[in-house]
Amino acid sequence: MKKHKMSKLPSRSRKVKILAIETSCDETAGAVLIGNPHSAKPDYRFLSSVVKSQIAIHKKTGGVVPEVAARAHMTSIMPVVNKTLVDAKAKLTDMDYIAVTSGPGLVVSLIVGTEFAKGLSMATGKPLLPTNHMEGHLYSAFSLHPEKIKFPVLSIIVSGGHTMLVLMRNYKDYKVIGSTVDDAAGEAFDKIARLLKLPYPGGPEISKLALRGKTDLNFPRPMMSAANYDFSFSGLKTAVLYYIDKKTKNGKVALYTQDKADIAMSFQNAVVDVLTTKALRACKQYKCKTVALSGGVAANRPLRESLSRVCQAEKINFIVPDFELCTDNAQMIALAAYFRLYNKGKAVLPARVKADPAWEIH
Ligand code: KG4
Ligand code: ZN
């Protein structure tokens, strides 16, 4: 077998271009970042970002069917990467690195992006940066207002598959100090949406409906007072389920629209309350100077407002990505790959990279 040779790495003073690819779940995405990984302070900007959503496809089944998602990635990946390069006014050969999400996520979805990126790396000799999806969310909060970042940072990552509190001492050292013991925050939003017969994806539908809520039903706040930074959302989901069963006489009568709105608002209030309370407590214990919110659920307006309010009261900086950068995209993957280089991390030969659905951060 012919030995793969990586092209020469750029000199220390030069800016590098990173092409990033993301296919870990149900968005096919590409982005190009230009930045200097050797500068004293992080120095980067984005040249393009393309996201091809599969929402219309998965709406029909009310959720993501992994094989259907993988097939859609296969159809979209080439046009998405092409458009990413065209929008960046660049060619593949202008890139210095190729970054790809290789975990965690749906294995069949991850394989499409990972194998595609390996092919590009093999064909061009460009070094590969396998990137962790959760690190992508973690660093996505730094995409705006880098001047507001003062360490230690308490990072709250709330997505469809994860809920984590991460303590960041600097751009490199981070430690997960709490996570969910059962359902993730986004997963809970999606499950409650299904109970209320709302379309997929449930999170944005719940927050839309919650705007019309009038009465807070005081759902439980599981683990809010526990002496740790872990979360549990499945108990909250069960409490909502029991409430709905009682109200509908076990499905014999339908819920009024106002009942649904009250349930959505009360559920959302409980999630926001638990996340805000525990994050603030962690912030105080670790004397954090910045709170960073990221992940799909970071698009939730009441959650953003609640954290922003408490941070303002406590004189802590608050950073959150733009709405469209909260849900999955490749800009966050490019940024995590940039920080890997900034933190003196190395690229990898394509033959050593494989999709790893269980690649967790610690
Ligand atoms: O980060 P993400 O795009 O994918 C994963 O890595 O999981 O997060 C998707 C999750 C879904 O559960 C979705 O319902 C939730 O984020 N989400 C929201 C909102 N927008 C998306 N949850 C609450 N409020 C929103 N506005
Ligand atoms: Zn995600």
Side-chain angles (χ1 to χ4, degrees), residues 6-26:
M6 275 204 247
S7 61
K8 242 176 103 200
L9 294 176
S11 72
R12 289 179 62 81
S13 57
R14 191 160 76 73
K15 290 201 171 188
V16 297
K17 289 199 182 93
I18 303 172
L19 167 68
I21 295 170
E22 151 70 38
T23 66
S24 69
C25 186
D26 57 346

Side-chain angles (χ1 to χ4, degrees), residues 22 24-27 104 133-134 136-137 157-162 295-296 326-329 332-333:
E22 151 70 38
S24 69
C25 186
D26 57 346
E27 326 274 3
H133 183 81
M134 301 318 292
H137 281 306
I157 313 179
V158 272
S159 71
H162 292 79
C326 293
T327 44
D328 293 347
N329 62 85
M332 67 186 208
I333 303 306

